Amino acid sequence: MNYKNLIKQIAAIHNTTPNEVDTQIRKAISKAGYDLEPKEFIFMIMQRVKKQIN
């Protein structure tokens, strides 16, 4: 699943727009202390999870 589809699904579940979901995700990443695009952040977290699983 790509990022666009992910934010569309989240928006539909929460009765909001994909743009608002994207904005909130970006704010959350920034508040977490990262200066990354959402795709980069998701990839980084995915890599960390893979290391913990293996």
Side-chain angles (χ1 to χ4, degrees):
M1 173 179 303
N2 66 33
Y3 180 69
K4 250 185 179 177
N5 289 337
L6 179 65
I7 63 171
K8 284 180 185 178
Q9 285 186 351
I10 294 169
I13 291 168
H14 294 283
N15 198 29
T16 189
T17 65
N19 188 46
E20 180 61 24
V21 173
D22 180 64
T23 299
Q24 293 300 320
I25 289 171
R26 290 175 185 277
K27 284 181 183 178
I29 292 169
S30 178
K31 285 186 178 188
Y34 294 98
D35 184 23
L36 299 170
E37 287 293 311
K39 289 179 184 180
E40 296 168 322
F41 182 79
I42 292 167
F43 182 78
M44 179 187 73
I45 297 302
M46 182 184 70
Q47 293 301 314
R48 288 183 183 182
V49 169
K50 280 184 178 180
K51 284 182 182 177
Q52 289 181 357
I53 291 173
N54 294 328

